[in-house]
């Protein structure tokens, strides 16, 4: 099958567009014909070898964690999917390929485009996981750093839908977008503390850091010195501030339930992910370079 493969850790130069062995589904797995694959910052971090603690790599490796596609084979014991089903989910073999194996999938609603379906699994699971860890609830106020990013914007929508007030940091250019999602936007950078206090005079109850721009000390300060309701997915120095770093751990049943729920919300128009650009498989390295540069305004998608 056609795939993007790398055989050593490194930058975009280690990627090659070529052939790989078509995988066969094992017990409890399905094989999908990949229609779209989502690009995430974790993809290039895994390629550099910095995420081995959470995502051990076996070479040759194929990048990509999330996909949308059509089931074309099922393994022993699979009762939740059949050949021909349109699904979205998490792959165990890499999504930047014509075919991939998966264990965690949900049905793709007909109203959901292939591009938006592939954009949901990672951002949806990450956003929901952190909101759950923060125990944020209706009537509370959440400060969300990096609110206009893919994970941040999904978290904004899930929080607002749950009756939570969201103050979101972002550049001025993204403020109209955040307002459209129901958040109160503030500019990041010097003076952020004063701007947050002005936007939320009642104070903030929890902080979700999806930016990783050195905002943890201020976040703890805004909570009166308590770090137990601050969670980051982007700052590797979290422990230095007594803050939890969240990088996974969601139970399989919760992952599947979350996939289905987020797909339903997206199909109903209640959850959306901005699509920045769609790349053919041969240009996957360009997509990863753009992701690493951090300038994409929305989700990057690959179409094998």
């Amino acid at each position: 099958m056609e795939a993007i493969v790398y055989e050593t850790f490194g930058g975009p130069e280690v990627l090659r567009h070529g052939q790989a062995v078509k995988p066969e589904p094992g017990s409890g797995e399905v094989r999908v014909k990949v229609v779209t694959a989502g690009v995430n910052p974790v993809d290039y971090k895994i390629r550099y070898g910095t995420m081995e603690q959470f995502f051990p790599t076996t070479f040759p490796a194929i990048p990509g964690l999330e996909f949308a596609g059509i089931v074309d084979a099922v393994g022993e014991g699979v009762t939740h999917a059949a050949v021909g089903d349109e699904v979205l989910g998490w792959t165990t073999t890499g999504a930047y390929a014509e075919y991939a194996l998966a264990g965690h999938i949900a049905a793709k609603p007909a109203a959901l485009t292939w591009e938006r379906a592939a954009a949901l699994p990672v951002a949806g699971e990450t956003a929901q996981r952190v909101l759950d860890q923060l125990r944020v609830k209706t009537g509370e106020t959440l400060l969300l750093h990096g609110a206009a990013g893919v994970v941040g914007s999904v978290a904004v929508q899930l929080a607002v839908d749950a009756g939570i007030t969201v103050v979101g940091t972002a550049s001025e250019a993204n403020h109209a977008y955040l307002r459209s999602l129901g958040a109160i936007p503030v500019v990041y950078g010097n003076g952020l503390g004063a701007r947050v206090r002005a936007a939320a005079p009642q104070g903030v109850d929890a902080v979700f850091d999806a930016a990783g721009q050195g905002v943890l000390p201020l976040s703890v300060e805004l909570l009166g010195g308590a770090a137990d309701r601050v969670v980051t997915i982007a700052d590797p120095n979290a422990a230095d501030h007594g803050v939890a770093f969240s990088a996974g751990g969601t139970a399989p049943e919760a992952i599947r339930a979350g996939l289905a729920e987020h797909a339903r919300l997206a199909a109903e128009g209640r959850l959306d992910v901005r699509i920045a650009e769609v790349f053919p498989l041969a240009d996957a390295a360009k997509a990863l370079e753009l992701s690493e540069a951090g300038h994409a305004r929305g989700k990057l998608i690959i179409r094998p």
Side-chain angles (χ1 to χ4, degrees):
M1 67 174 182
E2 187 181 0
I4 299 297
V5 180
Y6 62 104
E7 298 178 346
T8 184
F9 292 126
E13 72 280 354
V14 304
L15 299 172
R16 64 175 176 83
H17 174 221
Q19 295 295 308
V21 177
K22 185 176 180 180
E24 294 297 330
S27 178
E29 292 181 319
V30 302
R31 184 176 67 203
V32 295
K33 176 70 173 70
V34 178
V35 177
T36 48
V39 176
N40 294 282
V42 72
D43 296 346
Y44 69 76
K45 293 175 183 179
I46 291 172
R47 190 194 66 224
Y48 278 121
T50 60
M51 298 294 288
E52 283 296 281
Q53 178 183 354
F54 306 106
F55 300 98
T57 304
T58 300
F59 294 118
I62 296 172
L65 299 177
E66 62 186 346
F67 70 89
I70 302 168
V71 175
D72 91 314
V74 299
E76 182 180 355
V78 171
T79 58
H80 59 286
V83 172
D85 287 354
E86 296 185 351
V87 299
L88 65 153
W90 294 72
T91 172
T92 56
T93 56
Y96 296 15
E98 284 187 280
Y99 295 89
L101 299 185
H104 303 322
I105 60 171
K108 184 187 83 67
L112 189 60
T113 67
W114 288 110
E115 288 78 12
R116 281 176 166 73
L120 282 174
V122 170
E125 188 275 336
T126 304
Q128 190 67 63
R129 170 175 20 100
V130 175
L131 292 174
D132 291 345
Q133 285 181 251
L134 288 170
R135 308 180 306 283
V136 64
K137 58 185 183 295
T138 301
E140 291 191 320
T141 298
L142 172 71
L143 172 60
L144 209 165
H145 298 291
V150 175
V151 172
S153 64
V154 170
V156 167
Q157 293 171 80
L158 293 176
V160 169
D161 197 56
I164 296 159
T165 298
V166 179
V167 176
T169 70
S171 65
E172 189 80 43
N174 281 309
H175 283 196
Y177 172 59
L178 288 183
R179 290 190 190 96
S180 75
L181 299 182
I184 302 168
V186 294
V187 177
Y188 54 74
N190 294 335
L192 176 60
R195 290 191 292 276
V196 170
R197 292 184 179 97
Q202 74 280 12
V204 297
D205 301 291
V207 181
F208 181 165
D209 173 29
Q213 299 296 319
V215 294
L216 295 185
L218 172 61
S219 299
V220 173
E221 178 188 327
L222 288 168
L223 291 179
D228 60 320
R229 294 195 76 189
V230 182
V231 174
T232 181
I233 61 169
D235 192 331
N237 299 313
D240 295 343
H241 308 285
V243 169
F245 185 96
S246 184
T250 304
E253 298 79 10
I255 290 177
R256 287 190 285 268
L259 275 172
E261 173 65 5
H262 297 154
R264 181 184 68 81
L265 291 174
E268 292 175 357
R270 295 168 58 191
L271 179 61
D272 190 33
V273 179
R274 286 193 295 184
I275 304 299
E277 195 169 350
V278 180
F279 294 82
L281 185 62
D283 290 339
K286 294 180 182 178
L288 283 168
E289 287 177 13
L290 186 58
S291 175
E292 188 171 353
H295 300 311
R297 295 186 66 182
K299 189 76 174 185
L300 301 172
I301 299 292
I302 291 172
R303 265 191 171 266

